[in-house]
Amino acid sequence: MGYDTMFEARDKDRRMIDRLKEFHEREPSNAKVMDDLLSLCYHIKDQQLELARKTVNYIKNRSAYLSNKYSSVDYYTLYKKSLLFEAPYNFDSYMLYLEFDREPNRRYYLPRRKQLKVIADDIQDIADDRLDLLTISTPPGVGKSTMGIMALTWFMGRDPDKYNLASGHSSPLTESFYEGVMSILTDPEYLYYDIFPLNRLVDYSARNQTIDINRRKRFKTLTCRSIRGTLTGATRCNNILYVDDMVEGIEEATSIQRMDKLWQLYTDNLKSRKMDGCKEIHIATRWSVHDPIGRLKQQYGSSDRARFRAIPALNENNESNFEFNYNVGYSTKYYMDMKDTLDDVSWLALYQNQPIEREGLVFPSDELNRYYDLPTTEPDAIIAVADTAEGGGDSVSLPIAYMYDDRLYIEDVVFSNALPEITEPLCVKALIKHGVEQARFESNNAGGRYADSIQSKLEKYGSLTHITKRFTSRNKFTKIIMASEVIKKHFYFKDKSRYKSSSMYGKFMSELTSFTQTGNNAHDDAPDSLAQMVDFIEDLNVGKVKIMKRPF
């Protein structure tokens, strides 16, 4: 076929597609028109795959809508057929079609699709060569590994002659990868061979955890092997290097030496197996800033060929990101209970994807003084300090302390990154409620105006609270470190049973106990306000015992 003839044929196909669409817009109840359009797409896909895929996507979306609108079996069937067309090319459609004949409550993907499609789209970008590296971090149990196994079967079906390697922290784990893939390849409940009708399972070994499709090969279509297993000479990898949970648990994660060794195992045993063009997918629950995903992020974080997907358990409104249909997910109540149960560092790492180096914590939760109730005697003074927000997600942090000799009980806090029209009334209310006598506000940037506004509001209410302003020029990090021992020795914080983790007090404590001396802190308003309180006490020299001597 000459070029002119070929272009004429393609133009003719486009005109035919447009005419069928226009006809169907006029007669939306006529499913036969959409079926004819799908047949045309099959006819042209070898020459015009992009046009065919774009058209089938239109058919799929319209069929789904009209199937519900007309309760139409014809459109439901057409929707299924359009998914089948897309499945070899589109990972989202692959998972939907693969499980199409399963009972809805037994499907993996459909009940979770709303929340997990963003990950499916990430994997699609790996397949479409938009990415070379993808890491996926979510809380435990939300289904990331099952999606990883489905992704392996999809890549194997698309390119059965290529070699894939799947690895994890132990042989029992990689055995579960092997069994998961084999289940999809052998259980007729999955429609795998509808999607890849030319593929055949020709060789497999549970002992070696290997699978070959279409022909036996020295390097298998899939090899599953633990990171500490024997890989030399066993396989190469020119398609997908899939790594799921290299870190076995918290004991390993809290040892930098063991993290160093694990990274060496990854580079020696896994990365060295890669051939040119091989892509990497890492799936993990985060444990430490030194875990493999953390180190990959340090190395490739600025690359537009790498993506680091992290979905926390709770969103910014403290609502669950994983409430799935059919009650297979996790409610907000479940996660809030888990947050109240775990220490802050474990919660942030395992459930919020914010790993923190435990060895570098300045205010570990178990090293802080706690109390249930204030002493029954009158306090020597009630004071407050405010670290005002400076933008960039900073919070106003106003701890209120009841002083008894050389002990300071942090009875209340205002801690919020909301706008001043929200935080100012909160500060005024707290200062009046506790009868604060003296308060100091940081006057850097807009802090002075913030203090003046609050003082004016207090006077209108007849409050006797006196606010002073202090410009701070000392390095914030240094100031916190120098005050840390005083805070841990003389400051007392409410017992965990006395506040909710979602409260301002709870958020204040979470930021305090996750502050690390490595300097990799997103925010430091909570510890900074306490460090300012140490300075304030020295300037006031209140109480019967002086807390500390100035180091200068």
Side-chain angles (χ1 to χ4, degrees):
M1 182 184 294
Y3 283 114
D4 291 341
T5 305
M6 180 178 66
F7 286 128
E8 287 176 5
R10 291 184 176 182
D11 189 56
K12 180 181 178 181
D13 292 335
R14 288 190 183 92
R15 290 198 304 271
M16 178 61 73
I17 288 171
D18 289 340
R19 283 199 297 269
L20 287 171
K21 285 182 177 180
E22 290 171 4
F23 185 81
H24 190 262
E25 292 288 342
R26 294 194 298 270
E27 296 187 22
S29 63
N30 190 345
K32 179 65 168 57
V33 178
M34 285 284 99
D35 197 50
D36 290 343
L37 186 56
L38 182 61
S39 296
L40 177 59
C41 291
Y42 271 104
H43 176 71
I44 69 172
K45 73 171 185 175
D46 291 339
Q47 290 78 34
Q48 301 191 74
L49 180 59
E50 184 177 347
L51 176 61
R53 287 182 60 185
K54 182 179 179 181
T55 305
V56 171
N57 187 61
Y58 166 84
I59 297 170
K60 177 185 69 177
N61 294 333
R62 192 155 174 79
S63 297
Y65 168 72
L66 294 173
S67 173
N68 290 325
K69 180 176 181 179
Y70 295 119
S71 299
S72 169
V73 174
D74 289 339
Y75 277 119
Y76 183 76
T77 303
L78 191 57
Y79 171 70
K80 181 180 179 181
K81 290 165 68 175
S82 63
L83 286 177
L84 176 59
F85 182 101
E86 286 192 332
Y89 317 105
N90 184 286
F91 184 50
D92 176 63
S93 294
Y94 170 77
M95 289 189 287
L96 289 171
Y97 186 86
L98 186 70
E99 299 185 288
F100 203 91
D101 286 356
R102 303 183 81 191
E103 291 296 322
N105 63 342
R106 297 190 64 241
R107 297 180 196 179
Y108 155 74
Y109 184 53
L110 186 60
R112 299 167 172 83
R113 183 172 182 259
K114 179 181 178 181
Q115 293 83 359
L116 299 187
K117 187 176 182 297
V118 63
I119 298 177
D121 292 342
D122 292 334
I123 293 172
Q124 185 71 46
D125 284 343
I126 284 280
D128 293 342
D129 195 30
R130 295 188 181 94
L131 296 174
D132 297 321
L133 170 66
L134 170 65
T135 75
I136 301 164
S137 305
T138 69
V142 302
K144 56 186 179 294
S145 295
T146 302
M147 183 175 285
I149 288 169
M150 285 188 166
L152 283 172
T153 64
W154 186 56
F155 286 111
M156 293 164 65
R158 286 160 53 96
D159 295 294
D161 289 333
K162 289 189 175 181
Y163 328 129
N164 303 277
L165 172 59
S167 188
H169 61 69
S170 65
S171 291
L173 179 60
T174 57
E175 183 180 356
S176 73
F177 304 159
Y178 169 83
E179 291 175 348
V181 170
M182 282 296 294
S183 176
I184 291 173
L185 297 184
T186 59
D187 190 338
E189 190 175 44
Y190 295 101
L191 304 180
Y192 185 77
Y193 295 103
D194 285 7
I195 302 168
F196 301 112
L198 300 180
N199 287 354
R200 293 292 180 270
L201 179 62
V202 297
D203 191 33
Y204 56 92
S205 170
R207 179 174 177 272
N208 296 322
Q209 298 179 14
T210 57
I211 297 171
D212 257 337
I213 292 179
N214 290 348
R215 64 184 181 88
R216 292 178 173 85
K217 302 177 283 292
R218 178 190 172 191
F219 300 137
K220 307 301 182 181
T221 306
L222 176 66
T223 298
C224 302
R225 199 67 51 89
S226 79
I227 192 170
R228 294 172 177 82
T230 303
L231 280 163
T232 304
T235 189
R236 302 292 287 175
C237 186
N238 65 357
N239 195 28
I240 299 295
L241 171 57
Y242 173 81
V243 186
D244 192 333
D245 275 337
M246 273 196 282
V247 181
E248 189 166 7
I250 191 169
E251 183 178 348
E252 182 178 28
T254 52
S255 168
I256 295 180
Q257 291 74 23
R258 293 178 71 174
M259 288 292 96
D260 289 341
K261 184 177 181 180
L262 183 63
W263 179 252
Q264 191 67 46
L265 285 170
Y266 157 70
T267 56
D268 291 349
N269 291 0
L270 299 183
K271 193 168 185 177
S272 65
R273 301 293 97 199
K274 289 176 59 178
M275 300 173 69
D276 194 30
C278 180
K279 312 285 190 180
E280 286 189 58
I281 299 175
H282 290 251
I283 295 179
T285 297
R286 298 296 307 277
W287 290 91
S288 164
V289 293
H290 299 292
D291 66 17
I293 287 181
R295 299 191 186 206
L296 286 168
K297 193 169 185 178
Q298 287 181 344
Q299 188 171 357
Y300 299 107
S302 62
S303 171
D304 60 2
R305 301 285 298 177
R307 184 175 299 156
F308 298 86
R309 177 68 64 191
I311 307 178
L314 296 175
N315 63 21
E316 62 275 9
N317 298 317
N318 277 323
E319 299 166 339
S320 172
N321 279 320
F322 299 101
E323 288 208 55
F324 304 135
N325 293 332
Y326 299 104
N327 297 315
V328 295
Y330 299 92
S331 66
T332 299
K333 180 180 178 182
Y334 172 88
Y335 280 136
M336 293 304 295
D337 179 69
M338 190 63 69
K339 185 178 181 181
D340 290 335
T341 302
L342 294 173
D343 66 87
D344 291 330
V345 176
S346 295
W347 164 256
L348 289 172
L350 297 180
Y351 287 89
Q352 293 297 94
N353 302 301
Q354 299 173 28
I356 296 162
E357 184 47 54
R358 291 172 182 267
E359 291 184 1
L361 292 177
V362 179
F363 303 100
S365 182
D366 58 1
E367 292 184 14
L368 298 179
N369 299 314
R370 300 281 185 165
Y371 73 96
Y372 287 97
D373 298 297
L374 289 171
T376 56
T377 58
E378 285 293 315
D380 297 322
I382 303 174
I383 64 172
V385 165
D387 179 39
T388 54
E390 298 179 4
D394 283 351
S395 298
V396 169
S397 180
L398 184 140
I400 295 174
Y402 283 59
M403 294 188 62
Y404 296 86
D405 293 329
D406 62 346
R407 302 186 306 279
L408 286 90
Y409 293 76
I410 306 302
E411 178 65 11
D412 199 359
V413 296
V414 173
F415 191 75
S416 173
N417 62 1
L419 295 173
E421 51 262 36
I422 302 297
T423 59
E424 284 188 15
L426 292 174
C427 291
V428 170
K429 181 179 179 180
L431 293 169
I432 294 174
K433 174 185 175 181
H434 293 280
V436 173
E437 299 147 354
Q438 296 278 347
R440 173 181 284 177
F441 278 58
E442 182 184 50
S443 63
N444 297 23
N445 298 321
R449 292 192 300 274
Y450 191 87
D452 292 340
S453 178
I454 289 180
Q455 182 73 77
S456 176
K457 290 179 172 65
L458 287 169
E459 291 172 357
K460 288 181 181 179
Y461 285 106
S463 171
L464 298 179
T465 300
H466 177 64
I467 294 177
T468 57
K469 295 179 286 186
R470 172 77 173 268
F471 180 84
T472 304
S473 59
R474 290 169 58 196
N475 178 273
K476 184 186 293 189
F477 180 78
T478 302
K479 178 175 61 178
I480 294 170
I481 296 300
M482 292 184 65
S484 60
E485 289 305 313
V486 174
I487 294 169
K488 287 190 285 187
K489 182 177 181 181
H490 294 280
F491 284 47
Y492 287 71
F493 302 91
K494 288 184 175 182
D495 186 80
K496 288 183 178 181
S497 63
R498 291 293 200 256
Y499 60 86
K500 291 289 187 181
S501 58
S502 58
S503 67
M504 288 193 292
Y505 202 102
K507 293 175 181 178
F508 174 91
M509 293 303 298
S510 178
E511 186 172 289
L512 176 67
T513 56
S514 62
F515 181 81
T516 174
Q517 63 186 357
T518 62
N520 297 320
N521 302 291
H523 299 287
D524 52 18
D525 307 300
D528 187 34
S529 62
L530 294 179
Q532 290 181 45
M533 184 169 281
V534 171
D535 281 347
F536 188 32
I537 295 162
E538 285 303 306
D539 290 344
L540 289 173
N541 193 21
V542 296
K544 299 176 182 178
V545 179
K546 201 167 185 179
I547 290 181
M548 63 178 288
K549 294 182 179 179
R550 286 194 175 277
F552 306 110

